Amino acid sequence: MKNIVIGRYIPGNGFLYKLDPRTKILAMLILMIATFVINNITYMVVAIGLIIVILLFSRISIKRVYLGLRPLMFLLIFTFTFQIIFNQQGELLQAWPIYYSFLTLGLGAALVLTWGFTKKFVRFKLLYFLLLLVGLGAVFTNLDTYYVFAQGHLRIYSEGLSMSLFIMMRLIIVVTLSTMLTITTKPTDLNLGLEYVLAPLKIIRVNAEEIAMIISISLRYIPTLLDEANKIMMAQASRGVDFQEGKFKEKIMQIVSLLVPMFIISFKRSDELANAMEARSFVPGRARTRLHVLTWKRMDIFVLTISLSLLTLSIVLRVMA
Amino acid sequence: MAIKFERVSYQYQGHDEKAYLALSDINVNIEKTGEFITLIGETGSGKTTLVQHMNALLQPSEGRVHIFGLKIDRNTKKEGKVKLNPIRKKVGLVFQFPEYQLFEETVEKDIMFGPKNFGISQKKALELAKRMIKVVGLDESYLSRSPFNLSGGEKKRVSIAGILAMEPDILILDEPTSGLDPIGRNALLKVFYDIHKTLNKTVIIITHDMNTVYEYAKRVLVMREGVLVFDGSPLALFSRKNIENWNLDIPDIVKLKTALSEKFNINIEDSPRSREALFKSIKAVIKP
Ligand SMILES: Nc1ncnc2c1ncn2[C@@H]1O[C@H](COP(=O)(O)OP(=O)(O)OP(=O)(O)O)[C@@H](O)[C@H]1O
Ligand SMILES: [Mg+2]
């Protein structure tokens, strides 16, 4: 649980910490748009390289960001596999026959079971999961003996391959960028920055300040709620809930015993927070004076210019292609 | 020996990469039966962290904890050889904040939750719920109420009943009497003391109330900044000089005894632990 980094501010003093929050939010948005504009694998790899350079440069540990990405890894692998198998556009790159026989089904099931039972002893879980996928692929595409009762095809198309690569890389970039923003920006600064960035929404009668407040409070409370979940799990463990084990029915009970206190505590917290804010004369929508007034520095203009040029570059490259 | 700490240190992994040393180099032994221990120390000194090691909710970063013959160390969870759940049946821990464990629709179900997890039958669990709700000083009408509509003190009592119903060998209570009225507090302390007396069970109580320590404890552990600085009898503790350095207060009875001796020259030779015993001693001195 401790490893979930999304939404957590980690004090530090790299150059990203010194930027104006507005700059960071805008630059993040611009770069995100740029990654959706790019439609060439080479440029995408360059983009990822650039992000790694920024990470190194701003002294955020890559391990930290990787830990933040890890919970998403299974999602990534899932979308990747899904895209590659079901997207049948473009030209056919490679085709394998798939044999369904007692042998392949039996071996496949055996592989999945062994994986399920042994995965808790393996340190590199992700690699182990990939190994399982490779193993399954090998079994189904190679063993054509012993009563094959059906035959299918695994076809990989160029479009499918590139789409799945793109989706994966884009997700990685988007998550990394937002993790970088929240790691280096205090919740209060983030709030302030969002207020400014969302200010144009006033034109369509949306109250930017309120939205900013809601977003930043939510971000602020993710780690707190994770800590709470941890405490609840301990309190229930001391009453004999074994979160590691249990049959399906017990699992449901375990989840209920975690979620109910979680909801109660969150509602109570938000109630208390609302009271505390009101007690300090916070009225939603009323203009407030600021403790910290944001000022643009040369560095901010520099960063924004760079991000905008990168966006322009990616648009130009796409149009030219 | 039921619980044995061997050079135990524990680090919390903080949000900013820094680790926070909450326990350092703790050595302590706790007997299976017959102990009545209070654990004291200023806020943040590591009391809760310490007791969470006693039923293997936390595993030490350094050193070992032996609990009923099972060795718990930093690798225990990874190796998965030691089943932790049976330990929690033997060492019952009541949490500091009841909000973290109440979740069932009714108080009755909530008290039965623990026993049922440990394989006790529905019927027996129901009996336990009915018995324990009275033990903690509430009546049976509470059983059908929702645990969320109770007052803070009532919640606290229900959460204590939930652990008592597991009938653990060793009972640990993290600030069980905070937020209770004085009468209720004394009544509940009597309950714990009775459990200790009649069943000869080991009971460990975390508290900030020095009067509790002085009146009930056979043994006191004092924590300060993650270090166990004192392990001995309450009499020995409060006759030390400079215990204010540990942010501890002097019990009322000791204060009164000192004041009597200084202001009125009434010197009591023995060390009365309760109010009644003190009155008796005073009477003995002024009416020879
Ligand atoms: N989940 C956690 N993550 C990081 N640090 C923690 C965590 N829980 C406790 N700590 C730190 O460890 C130290 C010891 O905490 P602990 O809860 O054991 O104190 P305590 O003696 O029980 O205090 P109290 O009397 O307030 O209950 C504290 O300084 C606290 O800030
Ligand atoms: Mg505590």
Side-chain angles (χ1 to χ4, degrees), chain B:
Chain B
M1 219 156 309
I3 302 178
K4 180 172 175 165
F5 280 64
E6 269 177 20
R7 315 213 55 179
V8 170
S9 299
Y10 185 79
Q11 294 190 329
Y12 279 107
Q13 211 58 54
H15 299 164
D16 41 0
E17 318 238 287
K18 276 173 266 164
Y20 182 88
L21 192 63
L23 294 180
S24 59
D25 203 12
I26 305 277
N27 294 290
V28 69
N29 293 324
I30 288 154
E31 298 294 335
K32 185 168 187 288
T33 53
E35 295 228 57
F36 200 91
I37 302 175
T38 52
L39 174 54
I40 56 181
E42 59 190 313
T43 18
S45 57
K47 304 180 295 294
T48 301
T49 313
L50 183 69
V51 296
Q52 284 174 347
H53 279 80
M54 293 183 181
N55 70 348
L57 284 177
L58 294 177
Q59 290 85 36
S61 314
E62 297 293 332
R64 290 158 295 282
V65 186
H66 299 269
I67 309 173
F68 287 97
L70 298 171
K71 190 182 88 177
I72 311 288
D73 61 20
R74 56 187 303 174
N75 298 321
T76 302
K77 215 159 190 177
K78 233 187 284 165
E79 291 167 358
K81 282 189 207 122
V82 180
K83 285 252 175 285
L84 300 180
N85 225 20
I87 295 177
R88 279 127 200 194
K89 162 82 177 79
K90 288 197 172 126
V91 185
L93 171 61
V94 179
F95 266 61
Q96 193 167 359
F97 304 102
E99 288 80 12
Y100 289 115
Q101 46 175 257
L102 303 177
F103 77 98
E104 290 274 20
E105 299 136 68
T106 63
V107 168
E108 179 180 278
K109 278 191 184 169
D110 212 280
I111 299 178
M112 286 161 65
F113 181 67
K116 277 166 70 186
N117 280 332
F118 292 115
I120 290 169
S121 72
Q122 175 84 13
K123 194 166 146 264
K124 181 87 197 301
L126 191 62
E127 269 169 37
L128 282 166
K130 285 192 174 136
R131 201 167 88 218
M132 294 309 170
I133 194 81
K134 277 185 242 150
V135 167
V136 296
L138 300 175
D139 58 58
E140 273 194 33
S141 68
Y142 278 89
L143 286 177
S144 54
R145 290 179 58 175
S146 158
F148 304 111
N149 301 335
L150 302 176
S151 79
E154 288 163 342
K155 276 185 193 157
K156 192 109 208 185
R157 286 165 194 262
V158 170
S159 74
I160 293 172
I163 301 292
L164 289 180
M166 287 160 33
E167 303 192 296
D169 293 339
I170 293 181
L171 180 63
I172 306 176
L173 303 121
D174 196 344
E175 301 194 22
T177 53
S178 62
L180 295 182
D181 59 279
I183 307 273
R185 187 176 68 201
N186 288 335
L188 211 48
L189 282 170
K190 285 254 160 49
V191 168
F192 304 141
Y193 194 70
D194 280 347
I195 291 173
H196 159 73
K197 263 269 163 301
T198 54
L199 306 172
N200 199 28
K201 280 189 184 180
T202 289
V203 175
I204 302 173
I205 298 179
I206 296 182
T207 181
H208 287 290
D209 178 27
M210 295 305 138
N211 295 329
T212 307
V213 176
Y214 197 68
E215 190 170 343
Y216 290 99
K218 289 183 177 168
R219 182 176 168 195
V220 197
L221 306 178
V222 182
M223 291 290 295
R224 178 168 168 74
E225 292 174 359
V227 181
L228 185 66
V229 290
F230 181 89
D231 178 356
S233 75
L235 283 182
L237 173 68
F238 293 113
S239 53
R240 279 175 74 103
K241 292 198 174 59
N242 301 332
I243 62 167
E244 290 86 1
N245 289 352
W246 293 341
N247 270 25
L248 301 179
D249 194 12
I250 311 277
D252 293 344
I253 291 176
V254 177
K255 274 190 204 153
L256 188 58
K257 202 179 121 186
T258 324
L260 283 174
S261 138
E262 280 171 6
K263 300 229 169 80
F264 302 101
N265 205 20
I266 299 173
N267 291 307
I268 297 163
E269 299 303 325
D270 59 350
S271 306
R273 303 266 291 263
S274 66
R275 225 160 35 160
E276 291 75 24
L278 179 69
F279 289 154
K280 227 185 249 164
S281 304
I282 296 175
K283 272 188 197 143
V285 175
I286 56 178
K287 265 195 264 159

Side-chain angles (χ1 to χ4, degrees), chain A residues 267-287:
Chain A
F267 281 128
K268 215 174 108 203
R269 282 221 172 227
S270 51
D271 209 36
E272 280 166 5
L273 183 66
N275 283 338
M277 285 165 78
E278 260 176 43
R280 291 196 253 167
S281 281
F282 175 82
V283 178
R286 199 170 69 185

Side-chain angles (χ1 to χ4, degrees), chain A residues 47-246:
Chain A
I48 288 192
L50 260 180
I51 297 232
I52 293 176
V53 170
I54 300 174
L55 278 177
L56 288 176
F57 200 61
S58 56
R59 276 184 268 154
I60 301 173
S61 86
I62 296 198
K63 195 176 138 229
R64 213 59 223 200
V65 177
Y66 166 71
L67 287 179
L69 275 170
R70 209 164 57 173
L72 287 172
M73 277 300 174
F74 281 91
L75 179 72
L76 283 178
I77 292 177
F78 181 75
T79 39
F80 186 80
T81 330
F82 201 76
Q83 275 287 339
I84 243 182
I85 293 178
F86 293 104
N87 189 329
Q88 314 227 316
Q89 285 160 340
E91 57 190 279
L92 184 65
L93 289 182
Q94 186 66 269
W96 288 282
I98 302 180
Y99 305 107
Y100 297 102
S101 68
F102 290 113
L103 182 65
T104 55
L105 287 180
L107 269 180
L111 271 184
V112 171
L113 284 180
T114 347
W115 172 78
F117 281 117
T118 54
K119 71 171 181 220
K120 52 174 178 268
F121 306 115
V122 178
R123 263 203 64 183
F124 300 98
K125 294 205 162 39
L126 202 64
L127 222 60
Y128 199 47
F129 182 65
L130 284 174
L131 211 67
L132 169 77
L133 290 185
V134 171
L136 283 178
V139 164
F140 277 97
T141 52
N142 286 318
L143 300 174
D144 56 351
T145 45
Y146 295 104
Y147 310 108
V148 177
F149 48 76
Q151 197 173 344
H153 286 282
L154 177 63
R155 293 196 180 92
I156 294 184
Y157 291 85
S158 58
E159 226 15 44
L161 184 66
S162 60
M163 274 302 275
S164 50
L165 279 178
F166 272 122
I167 289 183
M168 203 166 85
M169 288 169 144
R170 276 182 191 141
L171 262 176
I172 290 180
I173 292 181
V174 165
V175 173
T176 309
L177 281 175
S178 45
T179 309
M180 276 160 70
L181 174 70
T182 51
I183 280 184
T184 61
T185 318
K186 281 196 208 107
T188 43
D189 287 343
L190 197 60
N191 182 18
L192 213 53
L194 278 175
E195 268 178 36
Y196 278 99
V197 175
L198 296 178
L201 289 181
K202 281 222 177 82
I203 304 168
I204 51 168
R205 296 200 169 217
V206 176
N207 190 330
E209 274 170 38
E210 271 170 41
I211 295 178
M213 188 65 101
I214 290 168
I215 294 177
S216 63
I217 288 179
S218 322
L219 285 178
R220 160 67 187 76
Y221 270 87
I222 292 173
T224 311
L225 288 180
L226 287 175
D227 283 350
E228 299 283 27
N230 208 12
K231 281 189 193 149
I232 295 169
M233 279 163 78
M234 286 225 263
Q236 303 300 20
S238 81
R239 292 206 294 171
V241 177
D242 193 343
F243 284 94
Q244 245 80 100
E245 278 166 41

